[in-house]
Amino acid sequence: MSGETVGDVLAGDGVWSDESEWELTDLDGDPEAADHVPMPTLAVVGRPNVGKSTLVNRILGRREAVVEDVPGVTRDRVSYEANWAGRRFWVQDTGGWEPDAKGLQQSVARQAELAMNTADAIVLVVDAVVGATATDEAAVKVLRRAKTPVILVANKVDDQRLEADASALWSLGLGEPRMVSAAHGRGTGDLLDDILGVLPETPRETGGPGGGPRRVALVGKPNVGKSSLLNKLSGDERSVVHDIAGTTVDPVDSLVELGGKVWRFVDTAGLRRKVANATGTEFYASLRTKSALEASEVAIMLIDASQPVTEQDLRVISLVADSGRALVLAFNKWDLVDEDRRLQLDREVDRDLVRVPWAQRVNISAQTGRAVQKLVPAMETALESWDKRIPTGRLNTWLKEVIAATPPPMRGGRLPRVLFATQATTRPPTFVLFSTGFLEAGYRRFLERRLREEFGFDGSPVRISIRVREKRARK
């Protein structure tokens, strides 16, 4: 509860009137209940601004992929789970593909090519209003060399008048163009039926993003090295990396084997400012990052060790703490840190990171690979704490000893008595204390500190709520 306001403290509080309420049921769900079944992958490719992300959202039946009128919003290959007619499969959204791209666009094009090479089926999206371009023809040449089934989609066919123009796309040599309007949903049902007709039941390559592995979110401000770290861990150019801050827009999933285990990493967009003040792509990217954090179990918060801790860093840390996820602080770019900076950084951590003194801390360099392997034991410790459950008997015995040695402050001339305690949930560990009176925020912080000293909980937040005995009306 360190650094929390009284409002935060009160959030989980309540009252109790009968001792039968003491035996709380476990409120946890089972996030791993769904079996991990390998699913085939459909890659959606095409040149910039033909409506790939809009089509992906139409296939999913929900707004997941970031969409904006500006070309080139999508940069990484991003996987989403889709379901049509009882069949589940992955849909991989890609950045715009251009054969002669340079700089950042060249990295984006390489991601699209990787998607083409690893997918089980491909949808090539062409703008029916513009017609086939030289870029579309170059894409067809690349796709013809692959042995993967390809479906040609003529997008932006909003009415029958445009169907004649779309028919001219037969000339690309990929067979009949499926005429759709991704924006309005026209023809997408028939397209999905055709997709299921060419998608295999199981993927040709197992290991797509999915169930089983522990879920890790890479978070931090823009340009702090999240994508570089993911690429170093996976040994693959999985995320687009560039000096331009904010290169990653969508969360990017990767299965990575570390320490003999498979982990599911999600590279998220850097949070630049408060969501309320963000606009356009930034707004939706912030929402995706929040969703990725909610779906994760542990967050690796990257901080640029070579620069002073910023307000943006603190905002992201607050976001992680509020989400109740386990946390590892990775101080990146450690190869750029000299002795003076290390002393200064220690002071900044003591001063600014008071809300998460329990977080695991690792000093790394994503660029050189220095100490990145130390992230594994830090994540394992944090997750073990996040999952930890304390037996009720042992918890109450410990609590009585602590309260006897250091009673809570008096309130209204009376000393509040804690009659019973139980751990209501894990993930994060949440404790409920049944008492005769309210316990001050400072005393709760004292209890949390002693709880951590006795039982551990390194790397995990701990929540303590109070149930105060309801006052009975006098007869």
Side-chain angles (χ1 to χ4, degrees):
M1 306 283 290
S2 304
E4 290 182 338
T5 65
V6 173
D8 293 327
V9 168
L10 293 172
D13 290 348
V15 296
W16 64 278
S17 57
D18 190 270
E19 291 183 9
S20 62
E21 296 177 33
W22 292 5
E23 297 298 331
L24 293 180
T25 55
D26 184 0
L27 303 179
D28 274 342
D30 183 5
E32 304 299 336
D35 293 328
H36 174 46
V37 179
M39 296 186 296
T41 298
L42 173 75
V44 180
V45 301
R47 62 184 178 80
N49 215 33
V50 293
K52 296 183 295 299
S53 295
T54 306
L55 180 61
V56 166
N57 286 337
R58 185 63 64 178
I59 290 171
L60 298 175
R62 60 189 186 274
R63 185 162 183 166
E64 284 278 358
V66 177
V67 176
E68 199 171 351
D69 290 336
V70 181
V73 170
T74 305
R75 290 168 182 163
D76 299 285
R77 50 195 162 112
V78 189
S79 296
Y80 305 102
E81 185 178 333
N83 190 322
W84 179 253
R87 288 262 315 266
R88 292 164 62 233
F89 57 96
W90 295 107
V91 180
Q92 206 165 62
D93 191 14
T94 64
W97 186 82
E98 294 180 276
D100 301 319
K102 297 286 186 291
L104 174 60
Q105 286 306 314
Q106 186 177 30
S107 297
V108 175
R110 197 177 303 127
Q111 293 297 314
E113 287 170 12
L114 283 167
M116 293 182 204
N117 294 334
T118 57
D120 300 291
I122 296 170
V123 165
L124 174 63
V125 185
V126 177
D127 188 334
V129 178
V130 176
T133 66
T135 301
D136 294 324
E137 289 168 0
V140 169
K141 286 180 182 175
V142 172
L143 292 173
R144 273 192 186 141
R145 291 197 294 267
K147 295 179 181 178
T148 310
V150 180
I151 293 177
L152 176 63
V153 170
N155 191 25
K156 305 184 184 179
V157 183
D158 296 340
D159 52 48
Q160 288 183 335
R161 289 173 297 172
L162 290 168
E163 288 185 4
D165 296 334
S167 298
L169 296 175
W170 274 92
S171 62
L172 288 172
L174 289 177
E176 180 186 358
R178 274 65 165 188
M179 301 176 193
V180 306
S181 170
H184 302 118
R186 187 173 186 262
T188 51
D190 292 337
L191 171 63
L192 277 161
D193 290 337
D194 292 339
I195 288 170
L196 293 189
V198 299
L199 263 182
E201 291 288 338
T202 55
R204 59 179 179 175
E205 293 182 10
T206 56
R214 304 306 294 259
R215 300 182 295 279
V216 187
L218 296 175
V219 297
K221 65 183 182 183
N223 215 29
V224 76
K226 297 182 294 296
S227 298
S228 297
L229 177 60
L230 179 56
N231 289 343
K232 181 63 70 175
L233 291 171
S234 63
D236 174 24
E237 194 172 326
R238 187 61 186 84
S239 291
V240 174
V241 175
H242 201 274
D243 291 339
I244 299 171
T247 304
T248 303
V249 175
D250 299 277
V252 178
D253 287 32
S254 281
L255 288 177
V256 180
E257 187 171 349
L258 293 171
K261 293 181 184 175
V262 176
W263 304 77
R264 184 182 178 188
F265 280 83
V266 184
D267 180 15
T268 64
L271 293 176
R272 192 184 301 272
R273 63 185 88 184
K274 292 180 180 176
V275 174
N277 299 335
T279 56
T281 306
E282 216 170 65
F283 174 77
Y284 290 110
S286 297
L287 293 185
R288 299 296 180 278
T289 297
K290 282 189 148 186
S291 298
L293 188 58
E294 291 295 332
S296 70
E297 297 172 283
V298 58
I300 296 180
M301 166 70 193
L302 270 83
I303 298 174
D304 186 342
S306 65
Q307 303 293 327
V309 175
T310 66
E311 185 185 342
Q312 288 169 283
D313 293 319
L314 301 181
R315 193 175 298 133
V316 180
I317 287 173
S318 292
L319 191 67
V320 177
D322 290 339
S323 73
R325 298 303 177 260
L327 176 62
V328 175
L329 297 175
F331 288 87
N332 192 25
K333 308 184 184 180
W334 199 254
D335 50 318
L336 305 179
V337 175
D338 57 22
E339 192 62 39
D340 291 341
R341 174 63 194 142
R342 287 179 192 180
L343 294 171
Q344 187 181 355
L345 183 61
D346 286 338
R347 288 196 294 271
E348 289 171 11
V349 169
D350 292 339
R351 182 188 69 226
D352 297 331
L353 305 188
V354 291
R355 187 169 183 188
V356 289
W358 42 263
Q360 298 281 286
R361 176 177 167 181
V362 184
N363 302 325
I364 65 167
S365 170
Q367 191 74 34
T368 65
R370 177 198 185 278
V372 293
Q373 71 279 0
K374 291 184 180 178
L375 288 171
V376 177
M379 290 190 295
E380 288 175 337
T381 299
L383 285 168
E384 186 183 335
S385 298
W386 201 58
D387 292 331
K388 185 179 291 186
R389 180 175 290 284
I390 309 302
T392 304
R394 186 181 172 198
L395 177 66
N396 281 277
T397 301
W398 166 83
L399 188 62
K400 284 176 183 175
E401 292 174 358
V402 170
I403 292 177
T406 311
M410 304 264 288
R411 280 183 67 85
R414 292 188 176 184
L415 185 70
R417 288 185 302 126
V418 177
L419 304 178
F420 184 77
T422 185
Q423 183 173 352
T425 68
T426 58
R427 304 183 162 202
T430 303
F431 297 89
V432 179
L433 276 54
F434 293 86
S435 74
T436 60
F438 184 79
L439 298 182
E440 301 284 357
Y443 192 71
R444 296 188 207 205
R445 285 194 290 272
F446 161 74
L447 288 179
E448 184 200 339
R449 190 166 63 251
R450 294 300 304 273
L451 197 66
R452 290 183 181 281
E453 289 171 4
E454 178 70 19
F455 301 109
F457 296 113
D458 292 336
S460 172
V462 169
R463 292 175 174 171
I464 298 176
S465 63
I466 307 298
R467 299 282 187 273
V468 179
R469 183 161 59 191
E470 201 170 24
K471 291 181 180 177
R472 295 185 178 91
R474 293 184 178 178
K475 293 183 181 179

